Coordinates of all heavy atoms in Angstrom, one line a residue:
F78 N 111.5 101.2 107.2 CA 110.5 100.5 106.4 C 111.1 99.9 105.2 O 112.1 100.4 104.6 CB 109.4 101.5 105.9 CG 108.6 102.2 106.9 CD1 109.0 103.3 107.6 CD2 107.4 101.6 107.3 CE1 108.2 103.9 108.6 CE2 106.6 102.2 108.2 CZ 107.0 103.3 108.9
V79 N 110.6 98.7 104.8 CA 111.0 98.1 103.6 C 109.7 97.9 102.7 O 108.6 97.6 103.3 CB 111.7 96.7 103.7 CG1 113.1 97.0 104.3 CG2 110.9 95.8 104.6
S80 N 109.8 98.2 101.4 CA 108.7 98.1 100.5 C 109.2 97.6 99.2 O 110.4 97.4 99.0 CB 108.0 99.5 100.4 OG 108.7 100.3 99.6
D81 N 108.3 97.6 98.2 CA 108.7 97.2 96.9 C 109.7 98.2 96.3 O 110.4 97.9 95.4 CB 107.5 97.2 95.9 CG 106.7 95.9 96.1 OD1 107.0 95.1 97.0 OD2 105.6 95.8 95.4
G82 N 109.8 99.4 96.9 CA 110.7 100.4 96.4 C 112.1 100.4 97.2 O 112.9 101.2 96.9
G83 N 112.3 99.5 98.1 CA 113.5 99.4 98.8 C 113.5 99.7 100.3 O 112.5 99.3 101.0
V84 N 114.5 100.4 100.8 CA 114.6 100.6 102.3 C 114.5 102.1 102.5 O 115.0 103.0 101.8 CB 116.0 100.2 102.8 CG1 116.2 100.4 104.2 CG2 116.2 98.7 102.4
Y85 N 113.7 102.5 103.6 CA 113.4 103.9 103.9 C 113.7 104.1 105.4 O 113.3 103.3 106.2 CB 112.0 104.2 103.6 CG 111.7 104.1 102.1 CD1 111.4 102.9 101.5 CD2 111.8 105.2 101.3 CE1 111.2 102.8 100.2 CE2 111.6 105.1 99.9 CZ 111.3 103.9 99.4 OH 111.1 103.7 98.0
R86 N 114.3 105.3 105.7 CA 114.5 105.7 107.1 C 113.6 106.8 107.4 O 113.6 107.8 106.6 CB 116.0 106.1 107.3 CG 116.3 106.6 108.7 CD 117.8 107.1 108.7 NE 118.2 107.4 110.0 CZ 118.0 108.6 110.6 NH1 117.4 109.6 109.9 NH2 118.4 108.9 111.8
C87 N 112.8 106.7 108.5 CA 111.8 107.7 108.8 C 111.9 108.2 110.2 O 112.2 107.4 111.1 CB 110.4 107.2 108.6 SG 110.0 106.5 106.9
T88 N 111.6 109.5 110.4 CA 111.5 110.0 111.8 C 110.2 109.5 112.4 O 109.2 109.3 111.6 CB 111.5 111.5 111.9 OG1 110.5 112.0 111.1 CG2 112.9 112.1 111.4
N89 N 110.1 109.3 113.6 CA 109.0 108.5 114.2 C 108.5 109.2 115.5 O 107.9 108.5 116.3 CB 109.6 107.1 114.5 CG 108.5 106.2 115.1 OD1 107.4 106.3 114.7 ND2 108.9 105.5 116.1
D90 N 108.7 110.5 115.7 CA 108.2 111.1 116.9 C 106.7 111.5 116.7 O 106.1 111.3 115.6 CB 109.0 112.3 117.3 CG 109.2 113.3 116.3 OD1 108.4 113.3 115.3 OD2 110.1 114.1 116.4
A91 N 106.1 112.1 117.7 CA 104.7 112.4 117.6 C 104.4 113.7 116.7 O 103.3 114.0 116.4 CB 104.1 112.7 119.0
G92 N 105.5 114.4 116.4 CA 105.4 115.6 115.5 C 105.2 115.2 114.0 O 104.7 114.1 113.7
S93 N 105.7 116.0 113.2 CA 105.7 115.7 111.7 C 106.6 114.6 111.4 O 107.6 114.3 112.1 CB 106.1 117.0 110.9 OG 107.4 117.3 111.2
M94 N 106.3 113.9 110.3 CA 107.0 112.7 110.0 C 107.7 113.0 108.6 O 107.1 113.6 107.7 CB 106.1 111.5 109.8 CG 106.7 110.2 109.5 SD 105.5 108.9 109.5 CE 106.5 107.5 109.2
S95 N 109.0 112.5 108.5 CA 109.7 112.6 107.2 C 110.4 111.3 107.0 O 110.9 110.6 107.9 CB 110.6 113.8 107.2 OG 111.6 113.6 108.1
C96 N 110.5 110.9 105.7 CA 111.1 109.7 105.3 C 112.0 109.9 104.1 O 111.8 110.8 103.3 CB 110.1 108.6 104.9 SG 108.9 108.2 106.2
A97 N 113.1 109.2 104.0 CA 114.0 109.3 102.9 C 114.5 107.9 102.5 O 114.8 107.0 103.4 CB 115.2 110.1 103.3
G98 N 114.6 107.6 101.2 CA 115.1 106.4 100.7 C 116.5 106.2 101.0 O 117.3 107.1 101.1
R99 N 116.9 104.9 101.3 CA 118.3 104.6 101.5 C 118.7 103.5 100.5 O 119.3 102.5 100.8 CB 118.5 104.0 102.9 CG 118.3 105.0 104.0 CD 119.4 106.1 103.9 NE 119.3 107.0 105.1 CZ 118.9 108.3 105.0 NH1 118.4 108.7 103.9 NH2 118.9 109.0 106.1
N100 N 118.4 103.8 99.2 CA 118.6 102.9 98.2 C 119.7 103.2 97.2 O 119.8 102.6 96.1 CB 117.3 102.7 97.4 CG 116.2 102.3 98.3 OD1 116.3 101.3 99.0 ND2 115.1 103.0 98.3
H101 N 120.6 104.1 97.5 CA 121.6 104.5 96.6 C 122.5 103.3 96.2 O 123.0 102.6 97.1 CB 122.5 105.6 97.2 CG 123.6 106.1 96.3 ND1 123.3 106.8 95.2 CD2 124.9 105.9 96.3 CE1 124.5 107.1 94.6 NE2 125.5 106.5 95.2
D102 N 122.6 103.0 95.0 CA 123.3 101.9 94.4 C 122.8 100.5 94.9 O 123.5 99.5 94.7 CB 124.8 102.0 94.8 CG 125.5 103.1 94.1 OD1 125.0 103.5 93.0 OD2 126.5 103.6 94.6
L103 N 121.6 100.5 95.4 CA 121.0 99.2 95.8 C 120.2 98.8 94.6 O 119.3 99.5 94.1 CB 120.0 99.4 97.0 CG 119.3 98.2 97.4 CD1 120.2 97.1 97.9 CD2 118.3 98.6 98.6
R104 N 120.6 97.7 94.0 CA 119.9 97.1 92.8 C 119.2 95.8 93.1 O 119.8 94.8 93.3 CB 120.9 96.9 91.7 CG 121.8 98.0 91.4 CD 121.2 98.9 90.3 NE 122.1 99.9 89.8 CZ 122.1 101.2 90.1 NH1 121.2 101.6 91.0 NH2 123.0 102.0 89.6
T105 N 117.9 95.9 93.2 CA 117.1 94.7 93.5 C 115.9 94.6 92.6 O 115.3 95.7 92.2 CB 116.6 94.7 95.0 OG1 115.8 95.8 95.2 CG2 117.8 94.8 96.0
T106 N 115.5 93.5 92.3 CA 114.3 93.2 91.5 C 113.7 91.9 92.0 O 114.4 90.9 92.1 CB 114.6 93.1 90.0 OG1 115.2 94.3 89.6 CG2 113.4 92.9 89.2
M107 N 112.4 92.0 92.2 CA 111.6 90.7 92.5 C 110.9 90.2 91.3 O 110.1 90.9 90.7 CB 110.6 91.0 93.6 CG 109.9 89.8 94.0 SD 108.7 90.2 95.4 CE 107.2 89.8 94.6
F108 N 111.3 89.0 90.9 CA 110.7 88.4 89.7 C 109.5 87.5 90.1 O 109.6 86.7 91.0 CB 111.7 87.6 88.9 CG 112.7 88.3 88.2 CD1 113.9 88.8 88.8 CD2 112.4 88.7 86.8 CE1 114.8 89.5 88.0 CE2 113.4 89.4 86.1 CZ 114.5 89.8 86.7
F109 N 108.4 87.7 89.3 CA 107.3 86.8 89.4 C 107.5 85.5 88.6 O 107.1 84.4 88.9 CB 106.0 87.4 89.0 CG 105.4 88.4 89.9 CD1 105.3 89.8 89.6 CD2 105.0 88.1 91.2 CE1 104.8 90.7 90.4 CE2 104.4 89.0 92.0 CZ 104.4 90.3 91.7
D110 N 108.1 85.8 87.4 CA 108.3 84.7 86.4 C 109.5 85.1 85.5 O 109.8 86.3 85.3 CB 107.0 84.5 85.6 CG 107.0 83.3 84.7 OD1 107.6 82.3 85.1 OD2 106.4 83.3 83.7
I111 N 110.2 84.1 85.0 CA 111.2 84.3 83.9 C 111.0 83.3 82.8 O 110.4 82.2 83.1 CB 112.6 84.2 84.5 CG1 113.0 82.9 85.0 CG2 112.9 85.3 85.5 CD1 114.4 82.7 85.3
A112 N 111.4 83.7 81.7 CA 111.4 82.8 80.5 C 112.8 82.8 79.9 O 113.4 83.8 79.8 CB 110.4 83.2 79.5

Side-chain angles (χ1 to χ4, degrees):
F78 291 87
V79 290
S80 75
D81 283 359
V84 179
Y85 298 83
R86 180 184 183 273
C87 303
T88 58
N89 180 41
D90 56 17
S93 64
M94 183 178 186
S95 65
C96 299
R99 293 294 190 254
N100 301 309
H101 181 71
D102 290 335
L103 179 64
R104 306 272 191 258
T105 62
T106 301
M107 182 176 119
F108 284 88
F109 287 115
D110 191 30
I111 62 168

